[in-house]
Amino acid sequence: MRRRPSNSAAEDDDDNNEEEPSSAPASPPGGDERDGPPTARKPTTIATGATSETLDRRKADTGIQPGHSQIWKSLSPINGSPAKEQHAVISLPPQQAANTEMQHSARHRRSRMRSPWSCSPSTLLATALAAFLVLTTLHSFVSRQLDVKGCRMSYMRPAFAKFEDFDTEHTRFASKYSLYLYRESGIDEDTKVKGVPVLFIPGNAGSYKQVRPIAAEAAQYFHDSVQLNAEALKSGTRSLDFFTVDFNEDITAFHGQTMLDQAEYLNEAVAYILSLYHEDRRSMQDPDLPDPSSVILVGHSMGGIVARTMLTMPNYQSNSINTIITMSAPHARPPVSFDSEMVRTYKRINEYWRQAYSQKWANNNPLWHVTLISIAGGGLDTVVPSDYASLSSLVPDTHGFTVFTSSVPSVWTGMDHQAILWCDQFRKIIVRSLMDVVDVHRPGQTKPRADRMRIFKKWYLTGMEEVAEKTLPHQEPTTLLTLEDNSNSIIQEGTRFTLRSFGQAGKPKAYLLPVPPRGTAEGSKFTLLSNEKLDPPGHGGNLEVLFCSVFPLQAGQSATLFSMNMDLSGNSSGSTRLACKNAAEDVISLPASTRTSKYPFEEGSAFSYLQYDLEDISDHQFVAIIDKATNFTSGWVVAEFNDHGASVIEPSVGLGRLLTSGLRLRLPANRPMVTEIKIPAIHSSLLAYNLVIGNQACGEDSELFSPLLRQYLSDPYESKYFVNVKQAGINLHGVAPFMPPPLKAKSAVDGVSLQLWSDSNCNTSMDVSLRIDVAGSMGKLVMRYMTVFAAFPLLVVALVLRKQFKVYDEQGVFVPFSEAMDLCLRKSLPILLLALSFLAISLANSSSHMSRPQSGPLPWRRNATETLTDYTKNDLLLGSQDSFFWFLVPTLGLVSVGGCVVLNYIALGVTYILSFLLSILTARPAWLQRDDRRRASSPAFAAPTPRRRIVTTFVLLILVSTLIPYQFAYLVACIVQIATCTRALRVTRESRTGSHYNFYNYAHSILILMLWILPINLPVLVVWIHNLSVHWLTPFSSHHNVLSIMPFILLVETLTSGKMVPRITSRLSYITNTSLFLLAVYAAVYGVTYAYILHHLVNLVALWLVVLHFSSSSITLKGLSQMLEVDDGEADQGSSKKRP
């Protein structure tokens, strides 16, 4: 290895009175390797008048080798005479003159760029643009395109019973975790189990007390309603025994091993809970009922992931879990990738679930009986991106689905990460759905899987989805409707029916709408909207809707075949009998939309809506709308048949047109009551839109309801309602970055659909316009890309370090971080970001191509999920599946540049402050001579004795291998590096020599690199400290790899001695160049998904630097033993001597 000599930063200079140059000479004749243009060269004539000593010193500072230039020899004193000024003019050859001029220009550049605080115009501009982007994005995130909070507060009277006997005989985690049973004071205070077991699992840093709202509502609902309903009790409905676990607020999201520990403990808790129902002294279970063999799981946040992990653990009891409901749980991918065990655990769990559901036969699927419901809070959840709650890549529609709280009937509002637990209207839906799936007559305590899925869809979906099941086609006629023959209440076919009030006739009256015959236009639908509730059979409301067929009652045939007999013939001699089915079970609840409505979640009456495809009701002849009011009552009904062509609009528009000119539509005056606008181009969760709906020219008295808008996606099930809509902010959770592809590939993305209910009786047209909200879209980047800044800035830092080493190896000057940043901004950084932009476009195009379903010659021989789907294809770079977002690469690169510049100046400020304080604490008397003060201050950089350094390093490594995680040692290394930079700055400011400047810039850049890695290590360190705080002293089973921290420790310890890394002039310099370049590329391409690997890559860079450091010194066993034998007192004496 060819190395150029490098002075230690602790070496002193005998001439402090002379201003030293601060930059290196120009590069070799091949041209300057910097990003700037090469300097022109020409023969130069110089005047000399300096001593040999000074010139030799300048030559050493600028890195000139003595054997490479004859100029310095010609300038030395003649015939050994004393040094004195000599004025001579020497004509140099062109090549030597060019080198000399470059040396002088380099010295002037060093003088100008010596200060690490200097900032070039390009750096300043990039930082200003980055600050503008960050501030604009944050402002958009907190103030634009925000969902409205609509949760009502819940109340409870909690009481907890701890199971003290669930101890170390049952689980090895008994000293850390605890199990409790919830009881509602004043309603159910008996601690014996008597219902269906439900286990609540808290999330990251969650409390066992978070079960209170849901458990209290379950107790209250059973006490007030269910236990009084004999039919419900007969069907198997019982109370719910809510158990909850105290994890001591474990930080699950940051540590995979903690998640596995919780899953192991919970499986043991499930076995213990089930055993309680076998003990007579602890159970009030009906002896005629089977003992429970399964527990329902309710998980919040990371608790939902722990629930899925339980089924993959070795101690899982088969069939002990069959129903899982999760709230705000990031199923698709880990929220952060700082821990290797977390990433591996997620991968293992998701592969297990995918593999299970890819089996052809149920006997081979261990999860065949499991239903999984994932509920997301939407845009208000700023802790976990709701996109991650999607199950489309894990579970088929037959076993689970993802739904947003804004879609849930009677809830209609988004929720933040914690509100999803206590929101009053939502907890009622959770409890009622659980009560409906319970069946204590079965050992599993729940209904069969298909029935459970049907019940969950009924409670959580709007009823307008394609998977929503209608009950009408499966019913038997229950009502016999008798009408007089001469009734004129039959509405002409194709005419819209509108009833503006009830009870006008003073008696019940039926209106019949003929069902169009088969063969009518494909996609025809029947729709009905009313502000009245639809009556089930036998109820005394104002409105009942029946689907009827002619039923000629034969002589002697009894009408008791029907449970209801509705005779509206008025004792007329001639009558018509219709066999009818009641449609109340299929009613869809919609938020009321009037001129006074503001939000969909407002308390009050809702609208009733019916929607049937013509195929579902083609067996009937009439739709009977029964006005049962006998007195005048305000209210209205609108019903009609419409075809697909008139009710569905599919404009051909792309993102480019939406961005430039937007979308404008005019709905005709004779439009249907319900109009649906499908826009496949709107599918990305990174974009937001503004929708404007024009006013109807309809008087206050004649308008039945104000326009009502539903924005919805079919995967996942996300619906948002806008009442009395004039303007609306459209944002969605559709195609999101880094999300794995679905189990079942689609040929095309459905995109968003806008469903608009409007009073078309006004007979006026309506304008609809839609434009991209650029400012509002910027805020959508925060949740999707907030982890990018743990990785992307390393791209910038690696390139800056690469440039610093390149200049240092060529010119002998380690330029400041800010100067290297300026050089990178001129060429290397823009080129790399441009290349990454092209890579992003290529990845997006290949992702869209691979998402298309693969067809083969024998497609029936392959299961739906047995495809060649690559579930990691969206893990690269910025994870975008749309080439439209290629610009995010340079944008985030620019923001990362600004972040690096800011961190650089923060680090400079900290080290300058600490250096100032150190100077005050170690100030020397003023009466000392300057040289004495200088020599007295030189040992300020003297390192500890070699023996002390070796012992300290050895002890630290022993602790890492046994007790502490290596992340703690890394934090210590960062602190030591800050101290090294502080001392280096003090020595540099006092000596003002080039060698000291080199070392300070080098140490400072290493500190910047270490600080960007620190956030990757801090989360695991926080978990370790938390375990200590709860007296859990069991060491981690991971994070004790000594090799993961040894290079960092050796590098930091080496720098404490003030030793500068040697220059490399051979081809080995390519190793430094290439390693830093690969680090930059990896940080950009894989850094977000595998952030933990960045620590190990930087660790390898540190190892290479340690090799360079030790390669400049000869270390033998004899010398090492002598260093260990040095006494501390001798070391102290030696430290006061001037270093050679």
Side-chain angles (χ1 to χ4, degrees):
M1 181 185 301
R2 292 179 56 214
R3 297 180 304 274
R4 297 182 181 178
S6 174
N7 295 334
S8 170
E11 292 181 4
D12 217 343
D13 197 319
D14 290 335
D15 189 6
N16 271 335
N17 297 323
E18 182 181 22
E19 180 67 18
E20 293 291 340
S22 61
S23 183
S27 61
D32 197 345
E33 292 292 331
R34 294 178 297 132
D35 291 331
T39 307
R41 299 174 176 83
K42 60 182 179 179
T44 306
T45 301
I46 61 173
T48 62
T51 66
S52 171
E53 181 183 2
T54 303
L55 294 176
D56 288 339
R57 194 161 47 251
R58 289 181 177 176
K59 180 170 57 175
D61 285 342
T62 54
I64 300 299
Q65 298 294 324
H68 285 75
S69 176
Q70 300 298 323
I71 303 174
W72 303 106
K73 293 183 180 179
S74 64
L75 297 180
S76 59
I78 301 176
N79 298 326
S81 59
K84 59 181 178 179
E85 289 191 4
Q86 300 182 33
H87 299 278
V89 177
I90 302 177
S91 298
L92 299 178
Q95 184 61 48
Q96 292 181 345
N99 290 338
T100 304
E101 181 179 343
M102 288 187 288
Q103 294 165 10
H104 278 279
S105 63
R107 292 193 200 100
H108 290 303
R109 186 174 62 84
R110 280 183 69 181
S111 299
R112 294 194 306 269
M113 302 298 291
R114 167 178 289 182
S115 173
W117 292 93
S118 60
C119 185
S120 67
S122 58
T123 304
L124 185 61
L125 178 61
T127 306
L129 289 176
F132 173 77
L133 289 173
V134 170
L135 293 177
T136 304
T137 302
L138 292 178
H139 178 267
S140 173
F141 178 68
V142 300
S143 63
R144 297 181 68 93
Q145 292 283 342
L146 301 181
D147 296 337
V148 181
K149 297 181 179 181
C151 280
R152 295 187 285 272
M153 185 57 65
S154 56
Y155 301 94
M156 69 291 297
R157 291 168 290 179
F160 295 93
K162 184 178 180 180
F163 293 96
E164 300 287 353
D165 58 341
F166 185 49
D167 51 20
T168 53
E169 294 183 2
H170 298 85
T171 174
R172 64 189 179 102
F173 298 102
S175 61
K176 185 180 182 182
Y177 303 145
S178 305
L179 181 66
Y180 291 86
L181 173 67
Y182 179 90
R183 287 297 185 236
E184 182 72 0
S185 300
I187 293 180
D188 186 8
E189 299 181 355
D190 195 336
T191 57
K192 290 186 176 182
V193 294
K194 52 182 174 294
V196 177
V198 181
L199 178 60
F200 174 78
I201 308 174
N204 180 56
S207 169
Y208 70 98
K209 296 180 181 179
Q210 290 176 318
V211 73
R212 293 174 298 180
I214 298 176
E217 175 61 26
Q220 191 75 43
Y221 179 65
F222 181 83
H223 178 269
D224 295 344
S225 301
V226 178
Q227 70 175 358
L228 305 178
N229 188 338
E231 184 178 350
L233 295 177
K234 184 179 180 180
S235 67
T237 305
R238 292 293 186 274
S239 62
L240 302 177
D241 290 331
F242 268 91
F243 298 85
T244 182
V245 180
D246 182 10
F247 284 137
N248 275 312
E249 300 182 0
D250 257 351
I251 306 176
T252 325
F254 298 156
H255 198 228
Q257 186 58 47
T258 299
M259 189 167 67
L260 295 175
D261 292 346
Q262 290 185 0
E264 179 184 340
Y265 175 83
L266 288 171
N267 277 327
E268 293 160 346
V270 166
Y272 175 81
I273 290 170
L274 294 176
S275 69
L276 296 176
Y277 291 84
H278 298 273
E279 301 181 22
D280 293 337
R281 64 185 181 88
R282 290 189 164 187
S283 173
M284 297 175 61
Q285 188 83 355
D286 189 341
D288 296 331
L289 297 175
D291 292 327
S293 63
S294 180
V295 175
I296 299 174
L297 300 184
V298 178
H300 173 243
S301 187
M302 292 301 295
I305 311 304
V306 175
R308 287 179 48 226
T309 309
M310 293 170 63
L311 282 75
T312 68
M313 299 295 291
N315 65 338
Y316 169 67
Q317 294 184 11
S318 180
N319 297 327
S320 61
I321 299 170
N322 62 25
T323 303
I324 304 175
I325 296 180
T326 66
M327 295 172 283
S328 299
H331 291 287
R333 58 179 287 113
V336 292
S337 59
F338 298 161
D339 177 43
S340 59
E341 188 65 31
M342 174 65 73
V343 176
R344 286 193 292 266
T345 301
Y346 253 90
K347 182 180 180 180
R348 184 169 59 249
I349 295 169
N350 289 348
E351 286 181 350
Y352 178 87
W353 281 69
R354 291 182 185 122
Q355 183 65 27
Y357 287 120
S358 68
Q359 301 302 316
K360 183 177 181 180
W361 305 106
N363 292 337
N364 298 329
N365 182 3
L367 305 177
W368 181 258
H369 62 289
V370 178
T371 55
L372 174 61
I373 310 300
S374 176
I375 306 172
L380 290 177
D381 190 344
T382 56
V383 176
V384 175
S386 290
D387 309 278
Y388 294 178
S390 174
L391 297 176
S392 61
S393 65
L394 300 170
V395 180
D397 293 340
T398 55
H399 290 73
F401 58 85
T402 306
V403 65
F404 284 71
T405 57
S406 56
S407 304
V408 179
S410 302
V411 177
W412 298 321
T413 180
M415 301 174 192
D416 61 43
H417 201 67
Q418 298 298 329
I420 200 170
L421 289 170
W422 55 258
C423 185
D424 184 55
Q425 58 265 49
F426 179 64
R427 67 169 183 162
K428 287 180 168 60
I429 301 297
I430 291 285
V431 168
R432 283 154 180 73
S433 67
L434 289 176
M435 289 286 189
D436 276 4
V437 302
V438 163
D439 185 359
V440 295
H441 299 123
R442 297 167 53 88
Q445 302 294 288
T446 58
K447 292 180 171 62
R449 178 189 54 80
D451 293 339
R452 276 179 277 147
M453 286 298 298
R454 188 178 303 110
I455 291 170
F456 286 139
K457 288 177 182 178
K458 171 189 171 184
W459 281 106
Y460 296 127
L461 302 186
T462 63
M464 292 175 277
E465 295 83 1
E466 292 183 359
V467 297
E469 300 181 11
K470 302 294 185 181
T471 62
L472 186 71
H474 309 291
Q475 293 181 13
E476 293 296 331
T478 57
T479 302
L480 180 63
L481 177 62
T482 305
L483 302 174
E484 55 182 338
D485 286 339
N486 59 353
S487 173
N488 57 358
S489 59
I490 299 179
I491 309 301
Q492 182 179 355
E493 185 175 343
T495 304
R496 179 185 298 115
F497 170 72
T498 302
L499 183 65
R500 294 184 173 273
S501 61
F502 296 100
Q504 292 181 353
K507 62 178 181 178
K509 185 176 180 179
Y511 301 91
L512 301 181
L513 278 70
V515 176
R518 294 180 182 270
T520 311
E522 183 179 357
S524 296
K525 292 184 179 182
F526 168 76
T527 56
L528 179 145
L529 184 66
S530 176
N531 63 344
E532 288 285 334
K533 291 184 178 180
L534 272 61
D535 273 357
H539 285 62
N542 294 330
L543 179 63
E544 189 168 350
V545 178
L546 306 172
F547 287 80
C548 306
S549 301
V550 175
F551 182 78
L553 189 62
Q554 304 296 329
Q557 187 176 6
S558 173
T560 58
L561 296 173
F562 303 92
S563 59
M564 291 297 300
N565 188 357
M566 185 179 297
D567 188 355
L568 303 181
S569 62
N571 297 325
S572 174
S573 56
S575 60
T576 300
R577 294 176 176 83
L578 302 176
C580 303
K581 301 177 182 179
N582 191 285
E585 288 190 17
D586 290 335
V587 69
I588 298 169
S589 183
L590 295 179
S593 180
T594 64
R595 286 294 182 91
T596 60
S597 300
K598 291 185 178 180
Y599 305 111
F601 48 79
E602 292 176 342
E603 293 188 69
S605 59
F607 286 174
S608 299
Y609 179 64
L610 284 177
Q611 175 179 295
Y612 291 102
D613 292 332
L614 191 58
E615 292 79 6
D616 295 335
I617 59 175
S618 58
D619 293 337
H620 304 87
Q621 296 171 320
F622 296 98
V623 179
I625 301 174
I626 314 298
D627 176 6
K628 299 196 298 183
T630 56
N631 298 315
F632 178 83
T633 306
S634 60
W636 49 267
V637 181
V638 179
E640 65 181 2
F641 287 92
N642 52 71
D643 57 38
H644 181 274
S647 60
V648 178
I649 302 174
E650 298 185 25
S652 178
V653 60
L655 283 179
R657 178 182 166 189
L658 287 173
L659 183 62
T660 55
S661 59
L663 173 65
R664 290 181 176 83
L665 297 173
R666 169 160 292 185
L667 305 183
N670 60 345
R671 64 186 178 276
M673 176 181 63
V674 184
T675 304
E676 187 169 350
I677 305 173
K678 294 186 175 182
I679 314 175
I682 300 180
H683 57 260
S684 173
S685 14
L686 298 179
L687 295 177
Y689 304 83
N690 286 324
L691 178 72
V692 178
I693 297 179
N695 294 326
Q696 296 186 96
C698 192
E700 296 250 357
D701 297 334
S702 59
E703 186 180 52
L704 297 178
F705 62 94
S706 297
L708 170 65
L709 178 69
R710 173 189 172 226
Q711 164 211 323
Y712 75 91
L713 288 173
S714 57
D715 183 24
Y717 298 119
E718 181 186 24
S719 295
K720 292 182 181 181
Y721 293 94
F722 303 90
V723 297
N724 192 22
V725 60
K726 296 180 179 63
Q727 295 181 348
I730 305 297
N731 56 83
L732 53 142
H733 294 83
V735 179
F738 305 110
M739 290 293 293
L743 281 175
K744 185 177 181 181
K746 298 180 179 180
S747 58
V749 180
D750 293 335
V752 77
S753 295
L754 305 175
Q755 202 168 4
L756 179 65
W757 287 264
S758 60
D759 187 0
S760 51
N761 292 304
C762 295
N763 200 30
T764 58
S765 61
M766 179 179 290
D767 293 327
V768 178
S769 63
L770 183 71
R771 293 187 67 92
I772 291 182
D773 182 4
V774 177
S777 299
M778 296 182 69
K780 304 306 173 186
L781 300 175
V782 174
M783 291 303 298
R784 280 80 180 186
Y785 286 121
M786 60 183 177
T787 58
V788 167
F789 296 103
F792 231 66
L794 279 175
L795 176 148
V796 180
V797 175
L799 288 182
V800 171
L801 263 175
R802 173 176 170 267
K803 177 58 65 177
Q804 288 178 299
F805 275 103
K806 189 174 182 181
V807 174
Y808 176 62
D809 288 338
E810 294 171 355
Q811 305 176 15
V813 177
F814 206 93
V815 296
F817 188 90
S818 56
E819 183 178 353
M821 175 71 76
D822 176 56
L823 297 177
C824 290
L825 286 174
R826 296 181 186 181
K827 183 178 179 182
S828 57
L829 189 57
I831 290 177
L832 182 56
L833 291 178
L834 181 62
L836 292 175
S837 300
F838 282 110
L839 177 61
I841 296 174
S842 175
L843 292 174
N845 292 334
S846 62
S847 175
S848 61
H849 174 73
M850 293 172 61
S851 298
R852 299 170 185 172
Q854 303 293 326
S855 59
L858 299 175
W860 57 84
R861 292 193 178 183
R862 185 176 67 240
N863 292 338
T865 56
E866 291 180 346
T867 62
L868 300 177
T869 304
D870 180 11
Y871 292 101
T872 63
K873 65 181 181 180
N874 297 324
D875 290 348
L876 306 182
L877 207 56
L878 297 182
S880 177
Q881 305 173 41
D882 193 339
S883 58
F884 176 83
F885 298 103
W886 66 268
F887 62 88
L888 289 179
V889 174
T891 300
L892 292 176
L894 179 62
V895 173
S896 299
V897 168
C900 291
V901 172
V902 171
L903 180 63
N904 174 49
Y905 285 115
I906 291 176
L908 284 174
V910 171
T911 53
Y912 267 72
I913 293 173
L914 294 178
S915 176
F916 175 75
L917 296 177
L918 181 63
S919 300
I920 295 178
L921 295 176
T922 59
R924 301 295 174 177
W927 43 267
L928 287 177
Q929 296 295 326
R930 180 171 180 177
D931 288 346
D932 293 337
R933 289 202 309 271
R934 173 181 52 74
R935 292 190 177 94
S937 62
S938 294
F941 213 103
T945 63
R947 182 174 65 178
R948 186 182 305 174
R949 291 168 52 198
I950 293 175
V951 171
T952 301
T953 302
F954 181 75
V955 170
L956 189 58
L957 293 178
I958 291 295
L959 291 176
V960 168
S961 63
T962 55
L963 297 177
I964 65 175
Y966 69 77
Q967 289 83 359
F968 180 82
Y970 185 84
L971 178 62
V972 173
C974 289
I975 296 174
V976 172
Q977 185 64 14
I978 292 175
T980 300
C981 291
T982 301
R983 292 189 296 154
L985 176 62
R986 182 197 170 187
V987 173
T988 302
R989 296 175 66 184
E990 291 179 350
S991 65
R992 306 182 68 83
T993 61
S995 58
H996 286 147
Y997 273 105
N998 281 348
F999 178 80
Y1000 171 69
N1001 292 334
Y1002 169 58
H1004 177 79
S1005 295
I1006 296 298
L1007 174 63
I1008 297 297
L1009 179 64
M1010 295 179 67
L1011 289 179
W1012 277 118
I1013 296 295
L1014 186 61
I1016 298 176
N1017 292 287
L1018 282 180
V1020 175
L1021 182 60
V1022 171
V1023 175
W1024 180 69
I1025 295 175
H1026 173 268
N1027 284 348
L1028 293 181
S1029 68
V1030 297
H1031 308 291
W1032 181 254
L1033 304 180
T1034 303
F1036 285 169
S1037 59
S1038 58
H1039 307 296
H1040 292 285
N1041 187 355
V1042 174
L1043 297 179
S1044 297
I1045 193 62
M1046 182 184 293
F1048 280 115
I1049 295 177
L1050 294 177
L1051 178 61
V1052 170
E1053 281 295 324
T1054 302
L1055 292 180
T1056 58
S1057 65
K1059 183 178 180 181
M1060 182 62 183
V1061 64
R1063 297 168 57 195
I1064 304 176
T1065 59
S1066 66
R1067 293 185 178 181
L1068 290 177
S1069 62
Y1070 291 125
I1071 298 180
T1072 308
N1073 195 316
T1074 304
S1075 60
L1076 289 172
F1077 179 78
L1078 293 179
L1079 172 62
V1081 173
Y1082 186 93
V1085 178
Y1086 293 97
V1088 177
T1089 304
Y1090 306 102
Y1092 67 93
I1093 296 183
L1094 293 174
H1095 170 92
H1096 302 292
L1097 293 180
V1098 177
N1099 193 45
L1100 293 177
V1101 173
L1103 177 61
W1104 172 244
L1105 295 179
V1106 170
V1107 171
L1108 293 181
H1109 275 284
F1110 282 95
S1111 66
S1112 63
S1113 59
S1114 58
I1115 299 180
T1116 62
L1117 292 177
K1118 181 178 180 181
L1120 185 62
S1121 62
Q1122 290 177 352
M1123 286 190 296
L1124 293 175
E1125 293 173 358
V1126 175
D1127 185 78
D1128 287 345
E1130 296 176 1
D1132 292 340
Q1133 293 176 7
S1135 66
S1136 62
K1137 299 179 181 179
K1138 180 182 172 184
R1139 193 178 296 269

